[in-house]
Amino acid sequence: MVMTGSGQEKIVLLIQGFIEHIVFHNETNGYTVLNLETEDDTIVCVGNCHGISEGESIEADGEYVEHPVYGKQFKITSLKVVVPTDVVGIERYLQSGAIPGIGKAIATRIIKAFGDRTIDIIEKEPERLAEVKGISLRKAKEIAEVTEKKRDLRNAMIFLAGYGVSNNLAVKIYNRYEDALYGIIKENPYKLFEDIEGVGFKTADDIAAKIGLSFDSDYRITCGVVYTLMCAAQDGNCYLPKEKLLEEASQILGVSSQRIEELIPNMVMDKKIVVKKEKIFAPMFYYSELNSARMLRELNVYIPEASTGEDALISAKLKRIESRLGMETDEDQLEAVKQSIKNGLFIISGGPGTGKTTIINILIKYFEEEGLEVSLAAPTGRAAKRMSEATGYEAKTIHRLLELTNSLEESGQKAKFNRDANNPLESDVIIIDEMSMVEIMLFNSLLKAIIPGTRLIMVGDVNQLPSVGPGQVLKDLIDSGAYPSVKLNRIYRQSATSDIVLNAHKIKEGSPIKADNKSQDFFFLERNDINVIYKHMIMLIKEKLPKYVEATPFDIQVLTPMKKGALGCESLNSILQEHLNPPSPSKREITGKNCIFREGDKVMQIKNNYQLEWQTLSEYGVLIDSGVGVFNGDMGVIKKIHEAASVVTVVFDDMREVEYSLALLEELELAYAITIHKSQGSEYPAVVMPLLGGPRMLLNRNLLYTAVTRAKKSVVILGSKQTVSNMIDNVSDFQRYTALPERIREQEELSEGEWI
């Protein structure tokens, strides 16, 4: 019996038996459903159990719980495998298939040969198994190795549990180090942070404290500096100024900045960091910027042979294409098309309604007529889908274009692509849309797969928010001034009647928006009471907007600047879930980290997971496609919750189906309301924005501009006109520390020097 945190008594029971059948086992988190045969009964047990097999005998601590569907179960909190000592138990264990290579017939022969000494023989004298008919010496050694590995894994998990390491993480650690883990834990647990995805600095720091490692040890400070740079990368930075790094690392580590500075030369020598002119980089970001600049220089070539290089011939071809497509271009657009044809590298930037899609469509037709192969891509599934719908051609995510695999790179990059310098893309022209969303690591991987002579055309809106990941690639490329580009400003007549487009450009220019509610697609409802905002938001989504924009309530997206607070996405999701997908006996539920997930819920992936497998099925359940990788911002709907297995099936917007284990649910959030940052690259029939106040750094012009440009047919703002006015006036973007323009200038200087 133990006391719970609330002061109540909780009865902890001990049960013993052998595992008669494993109903379900999740390899990722160890969640297991099994039938345990005891002296009196067969008990259904559930819990996180690694390294166990059918036929094994166990002792388990836990308590009985009542499942609403499956009835009485024993919930395991801890267990240990008990080696059977009687002949019946040993034979049952061997016959279960727990040890590969031993079936029922061979198990019977082993027992006949060695009796109750069988386990001892397997562990201490495995070569003697070769005395049994059907077992060679090689097979005997294999049996011994499997048995030893299972025992070693269990011992490692017990050892690591003493340091507060979860079963899931313990398996990762054991698979990486095997027996070496004991020395690593005792000598330098910070190596876990460096080597293993999922081990944070704080986990390593907690272990170090338990083993008594010095608070200001070199190991700890070195890891703390790397951790500080990783935290900065989460805010979009590729480096930190030296003084800022020292200040932030000092706060995290609780040691003086002088002590940290003493170790910087050693960290440079050990290649833990890169220092350039008082700028301190994590190596992966420094070399991503440096390599990107070098590869851009190689791609940035003039192509005189493009249609013989004569403007008149190009213009004539383009006019024929325009006529066939029923499109018209002005001088700016025509020049953008021509420069895209003539240059190996070209950048097209412009806001909504400025004709970017028209240019892409004309370019596709032109290159197609020239017999060139064109590939289209965008950073997210939603953006790729929009590109496909706008052009009529297949567009892929950049990850799919580069053929993401499910193996990780040892260099520190989290993704491994089949397409790279050794296996480049075979396209003649590559057009990337929504370039403002592309972060530096992905950009570097893309450039690796493009050979000089291939045209790379990058299209985006530099006034939108920068990428979620580190860097601000599109802005840096334009600011460098090193590459041919065009900035489209004119709004074309098909968009000039849209107040969404007109107001977006007013916001960009810092002018007051049109908010008189005489618009067909832009509405402002002055509301200063949070409960009134809730009420009207629900009414708009359920009743008013679906008919107006010809969409379902699930298609209408609530966008907010914040995660926290009364009008943050966490609070809004709780309210919207209750009204848009209320509880029902026909809908299964499962509890996540911060919310309840229900069948039919709208959800979003909130981190890149390069290992997560997906598949696309036909309406008849036939496999059409499969792959790996689900990414930050991907949105979908919960199709099914498998309660017994604790698995949730999500169907994403592009029809990919993904199964999430209980441990992976922390990578999902409800998505009835999302932050504006997470909406990048997406487009919705209607957007509802509750804006009543919040931190100044979150209420700026770029954020409002990005939110408004996500809407296709209607924008509704609920809240304060003063808040909107303040956002338009606030141009204080959060500064990102990036050095791509600097690396580009270095490459340009190198290029000039080659001609001397």
Side-chain angles (χ1 to χ4, degrees):
M1 184 177 290
V2 297
M3 299 293 289
T4 66
S6 61
Q8 295 179 328
E9 291 183 344
K10 178 180 173 183
I11 298 173
V12 178
L13 301 172
L14 174 67
I15 60 173
Q16 296 176 320
F18 75 93
I19 301 170
E20 184 265 328
H21 177 55
I22 293 178
V23 179
F24 172 80
H25 178 70
N26 185 302
E27 289 291 343
T28 305
N29 64 1
Y31 183 82
T32 305
V33 181
L34 60 88
N35 295 335
L36 189 72
E37 194 77 32
T38 68
E39 286 185 3
D40 304 318
D41 200 1
T42 300
I43 302 171
V44 177
C45 300
V46 297
N48 290 338
C49 311
H50 279 287
I52 59 168
S53 305
E54 290 180 355
E56 287 187 314
S57 297
I58 63 170
E59 289 182 357
D61 292 323
E63 61 176 327
Y64 283 102
V65 295
E66 191 70 29
H67 192 280
V69 176
Y70 300 102
K72 189 177 181 182
Q73 298 176 335
F74 188 82
K75 187 175 181 181
I76 296 172
T77 53
S78 67
L79 66 80
K80 67 177 181 179
V81 174
V82 180
V83 178
T85 55
D86 62 289
V87 172
V88 174
I90 295 170
E91 186 170 9
R92 187 169 52 207
Y93 170 61
L94 294 180
Q95 288 182 347
S96 69
I99 301 176
I102 298 181
K104 289 186 177 181
I106 290 179
T108 302
R109 289 184 210 139
I110 293 173
I111 293 295
K112 189 174 180 180
F114 304 114
D116 58 8
R117 294 185 58 240
T118 297
I119 299 298
D120 204 43
I121 293 291
I122 291 173
E123 292 182 349
K124 296 177 182 176
E125 300 178 81
E127 67 280 357
R128 290 196 59 194
L129 291 174
E131 297 172 15
V132 177
K133 184 182 177 182
I135 300 180
S136 65
L137 186 59
R138 184 172 65 85
K139 190 171 185 179
K141 288 179 179 178
E142 287 174 357
I143 290 168
E145 285 171 6
V146 170
T147 306
E148 185 179 8
K149 189 164 186 179
K150 290 181 71 168
R151 185 182 65 246
D152 290 347
L153 172 59
R154 283 196 292 264
N155 291 340
M157 291 171 66
I158 292 167
F159 172 77
L160 291 168
Y163 293 102
V165 177
S166 68
N167 283 348
N168 189 29
L169 212 49
V171 174
K172 278 188 178 181
I173 294 170
Y174 177 78
N175 288 340
R176 177 69 171 80
Y177 301 123
E178 294 190 338
D179 287 345
L181 75 88
Y182 300 100
I184 289 167
I185 290 291
K186 291 174 180 175
E187 292 169 19
N188 178 19
Y190 295 104
K191 190 166 174 55
L192 305 180
F193 166 70
E194 296 176 353
D195 293 347
I196 299 174
E197 178 74 16
V199 178
F201 173 74
K202 291 181 178 175
T203 299
D205 213 25
D206 287 344
I207 295 172
K210 287 177 181 176
I211 67 170
L213 199 66
S214 172
F215 191 67
D216 68 345
S217 72
D218 291 2
Y219 288 142
R220 182 172 187 268
I221 292 172
T222 297
C223 246
V225 168
V226 173
Y227 174 68
T228 304
L229 290 171
M230 293 301 102
C231 290
Q234 290 177 2
D235 291 329
N237 299 300
C238 292
Y239 74 89
L240 283 178
K242 182 179 175 182
E243 288 305 313
K244 188 171 181 65
L245 172 70
L246 293 174
E247 178 188 340
E248 293 188 4
S250 177
Q251 289 178 355
I252 289 169
L253 292 165
V255 300
S256 70
S257 56
Q258 290 84 356
R259 174 73 178 105
I260 297 168
E261 191 169 9
E262 288 171 8
L263 293 178
I264 284 180
N266 290 341
M267 292 184 67
V268 173
M269 289 180 65
D270 292 338
K271 298 183 179 179
K272 301 291 185 184
I273 58 172
V274 175
V275 179
K276 293 287 178 181
K277 299 178 181 177
E278 299 296 298
K279 298 173 182 175
I280 299 182
F281 300 77
M284 68 177 79
F285 302 129
Y286 174 77
Y287 288 109
S288 286
E289 289 190 327
L290 177 63
N291 292 333
S292 293
R294 177 183 57 76
M295 291 183 286
L296 285 165
R297 173 181 161 230
E298 293 172 354
L299 292 174
N300 186 26
V301 294
Y302 187 71
I303 306 176
E305 66 270 20
S307 289
T308 71
E310 295 180 16
D311 271 3
L313 284 175
I314 295 174
S315 296
K317 284 190 176 185
L318 293 177
K319 286 297 178 187
R320 287 198 299 273
I321 292 169
E322 284 181 47
S323 176
R324 202 162 61 246
L325 295 177
M327 295 176 174
E328 286 185 37
T329 57
D330 65 8
E331 287 184 15
D332 289 344
Q333 287 178 309
L334 189 60
E335 187 60 25
V337 172
K338 287 180 180 178
Q339 291 303 317
S340 298
I341 292 166
K342 293 179 179 181
N343 287 280
L345 191 67
F346 197 70
I347 303 166
I348 301 168
S349 176
T354 56
K356 298 191 299 294
T357 301
T358 298
I359 291 172
I360 291 173
N361 276 310
I362 291 172
L363 283 170
I364 292 169
K365 292 296 182 186
Y366 178 89
F367 290 128
E368 199 173 49
E369 289 190 5
E370 291 293 296
L372 301 178
E373 185 176 338
V374 181
S375 288
L376 308 180
T380 67
R382 279 193 162 227
K385 186 178 178 183
R386 285 176 55 201
M387 196 179 189
S388 294
E389 290 168 351
T391 62
Y393 289 78
E394 181 189 17
K396 299 178 179 179
T397 64
I398 298 174
H399 289 90
R400 288 197 73 190
L401 180 72
L402 298 179
E403 298 174 10
L404 177 70
T405 70
N406 61 0
S407 61
L408 301 183
E409 284 196 347
E410 294 179 2
S411 64
Q413 285 210 181
K414 293 181 179 179
K416 177 73 173 67
F417 298 105
N418 279 332
R419 294 290 182 173
D420 55 19
N422 297 317
N423 182 29
L425 294 165
E426 295 164 5
S427 306
D428 301 298
V429 182
I430 297 169
I431 303 175
I432 307 293
D433 199 10
E434 295 287 357
M435 267 299 299
S436 63
M437 296 180 65
V438 178
E439 46 92 8
I440 189 63
M441 301 285 282
L442 183 59
F443 188 56
N444 181 46
S445 295
L446 173 66
L447 294 178
K448 283 180 185 177
I450 302 176
I451 58 174
T454 303
R455 291 180 180 83
L456 175 61
I457 300 166
M458 295 172 280
V459 184
D461 185 350
V462 77
N463 292 296
Q464 282 190 32
L465 294 168
S467 58
V468 174
Q472 47 187 10
V473 173
L474 181 62
K475 183 177 186 299
D476 283 349
L477 293 180
I478 293 172
D479 287 351
S480 75
Y483 312 114
S485 64
V486 66
K487 190 169 184 180
L488 304 170
N489 292 306
R490 179 183 167 190
I491 303 172
Y492 293 92
R493 64 171 179 263
Q494 63 267 33
S495 299
T497 56
S498 166
D499 286 317
I500 294 175
V501 173
L502 294 175
N503 278 335
H505 285 269
K506 285 178 181 290
I507 291 166
K508 182 180 72 174
E509 294 157 4
S511 304
I513 61 172
K514 179 184 176 184
D516 57 9
N517 288 333
K518 294 179 180 177
S519 170
Q520 295 294 309
D521 60 7
F522 198 102
F523 307 96
F524 191 100
L525 306 179
E526 181 87 36
R527 303 289 186 270
N528 293 297
D529 184 294
I530 287 172
N531 289 319
V532 172
I533 289 176
Y534 290 159
K535 178 183 175 183
H536 288 187
M537 176 179 63
I538 292 161
M539 186 189 304
L540 284 164
I541 295 170
K542 289 184 72 173
E543 300 171 20
K544 304 293 185 183
L545 285 172
K547 292 178 183 177
Y548 191 72
V549 298
E550 298 176 319
T552 70
F554 267 49
D555 295 324
I556 296 160
Q557 189 60 53
V558 176
L559 299 181
T560 173
M562 301 157 291
K563 284 181 69 71
K564 305 289 184 181
L567 294 179
C569 59
E570 289 181 2
S571 298
L572 293 174
N573 271 318
S574 178
I575 293 165
L576 291 166
Q577 182 192 42
E578 201 66 21
H579 287 84
L580 298 180
N581 190 32
S584 163
S586 64
K587 298 175 188 173
R588 286 172 286 238
E589 298 180 351
I590 194 167
T591 302
K593 188 175 180 181
N594 298 311
C595 66
I596 291 172
F597 292 110
R598 189 173 295 137
E599 288 177 339
D601 271 337
K602 186 176 177 181
V603 293
M604 172 183 277
Q605 174 80 10
I606 59 169
K607 64 177 287 190
N608 289 340
N609 187 325
Y610 302 97
Q611 302 289 85
L612 205 50
E613 297 180 353
W614 55 262
Q615 58 181 11
T616 306
L617 304 174
S618 73
E619 60 180 309
Y620 302 107
V622 177
L623 181 66
I624 297 172
D625 197 6
S626 63
V628 294
V630 183
F631 305 104
N632 194 351
D634 285 354
M635 292 178 69
V637 173
I638 294 178
K639 175 183 177 182
K640 188 173 182 180
I641 294 173
H642 313 260
E643 288 181 297
S646 292
V647 170
V648 176
T649 301
V650 176
V651 180
F652 286 95
D653 289 338
D654 51 6
M655 303 313 293
R656 290 173 301 154
E657 283 196 15
V658 178
E659 288 194 347
Y660 286 81
S661 66
L662 200 60
L664 287 173
L665 281 185
E666 63 184 24
E667 296 185 9
L668 286 178
E669 284 183 353
L670 293 174
Y672 301 99
I674 63 174
T675 61
I676 296 168
H677 272 94
K678 295 285 189 182
S679 72
Q680 293 178 86
S682 298
E683 188 176 68
Y684 312 98
V687 163
V688 177
M689 275 188 287
L691 296 172
L692 199 55
R696 176 176 165 77
M697 66 176 291
L698 290 178
L699 300 176
N700 60 49
R701 184 183 298 176
N702 263 21
L703 208 72
L704 183 62
Y705 175 82
T706 299
V708 167
T709 55
R710 298 308 89 210
K712 191 173 182 180
K713 295 182 179 179
S714 179
V715 169
V716 182
I717 298 176
L718 288 163
S720 159
K721 285 185 178 178
Q722 188 59 52
T723 298
V724 174
S725 178
N726 291 343
M727 290 181 78
I728 293 171
D729 292 340
N730 181 12
V731 293
S732 59
D733 297 338
F734 183 76
Q735 182 185 2
R736 288 194 170 195
Y737 295 109
T738 64
L740 183 57
E742 190 177 329
R743 302 285 86 81
I744 289 170
R745 283 192 293 273
E746 289 171 356
Q747 289 297 313
E748 291 300 304
E749 290 167 7
L750 177 63
S751 182
E752 291 168 7
E754 288 176 354
W755 294 96
I756 296 173

